[in-house]
Amino acid sequence: MARRKYIVGNWKMNGLLAALGEAAAIFAAAKDHAGVDVALCPPFTLIRPMIAAVPGAAVGGQDCHAAASGAFTGSVAAPMLADIGATLTIVGHSERREGFGESDADVQAKAEAALGAGLDVILCVGEPREVRESGEAVDYVLAQIAGSLPADFDAARLAIAYEPIWAIGTGLVPTVGDVAAMHGAIRAKLAEQAGEGAARTMRILYGGSVNGDNAAELLGAGDVDGALVGGASLTAVKFVPIIAAGAAL
Ligand code: PEP
């Protein structure tokens, strides 16, 4: 069965209650593109209000703790996300791997906790600029997958997001050829690690400066099943063209 395109917005630490109108406009427009799955990952504070404003919408976290509860001031556990109606979470975003020192093992534990709580997972990987320039990007990313993919999981509930760090929020994007080559290498690695069936089922998203102008080309690249979008997901006027580009493929 063909994999459905998956377009996910990561609002990062942006958005007050006043931004809920944008979410409502995004999910309303997404209904016109029924062949595409659309989700938004706002800050924790907006998850519940967004679900209340748009019942049935796929709304998720940007991170979760690996433990179900405990003395972890400021953290949010996967069962807490599920409890308020979230249906997914991002784990392993480079802004957490780099900014908060998260290791592959940490990311794996978070992914397992999220799946265990009933959440779908978007597991992020991606290389820094110096690794891309040294020609080691594929090896680097495959090692991240080796270290952070859960041991056992339902392939329909776990997507990989390939996000070259140097492309996030910079306006720089890899060539379509480089994106296709990386996604192909990731799928081959998934087949080796999780089996052919899982690799055929799993969606691999591209993330890094996706916008309405480049979405069609990036989403059309080989083995690209969707996009994880930061800046351009904050408003309907910027995000809906990306959803439409996914639907047109
Ligand atoms: C991201 O935050 O995951 C991201 C890809 O950001 P941007 O689209 O702004 O580059």
Side-chain angles (χ1 to χ4, degrees), residues 25-114:
I26 287 167
F27 284 117
K31 285 196 176 143
D32 296 334
H33 302 290
V36 177
D37 293 331
V38 175
L40 286 177
C41 297
F44 288 129
T45 50
L46 286 185
I47 292 174
R48 185 70 187 156
M50 195 175 283
I51 292 166
V54 193
V59 180
Q62 300 167 11
D63 180 45
C64 67
H65 200 281
S69 63
F72 303 106
T73 301
S75 295
V76 171
M80 295 171 178
L81 290 174
D83 187 45
I84 58 166
T87 55
L88 71 147
T89 188
I90 297 168
V91 297
H93 194 284
S94 62
E95 287 157 14
R96 296 206 61 89
R97 287 179 183 265
E98 291 205 317
F100 296 83
E102 291 184 6
S103 67
D104 287 336
D106 294 331
V107 174
Q108 183 187 48
K110 288 178 178 215
E112 288 174 350

Side-chain angles (χ1 to χ4, degrees), residues 10 12 93 95 124 163 167-171 207-210 228-232:
N10 170 16
K12 311 194 188 196
H93 194 284
E95 287 157 14
C124 301
E163 299 207 303
I168 295 176
T170 60
S209 295
V210 177
L228 180 55
V229 184

Side-chain angles (χ1 to χ4, degrees), residues 97 103-105 107-108 123-128 131 136-150 160 162 182 185-186 189-190 192-193:
R97 287 179 183 265
S103 67
D104 287 336
V107 174
Q108 183 187 48
L123 194 165
C124 301
V125 292
E127 81 285 357
V131 172
E136 309 287 321
V138 170
D139 287 349
Y140 184 95
V141 166
L142 299 191
Q144 284 184 314
I145 291 188
S148 52
L149 199 68
I160 302 292
Y162 167 57
M182 181 63 85
I186 291 172
K189 177 70 178 167
L190 293 173
E192 177 195 308
Q193 203 165 327

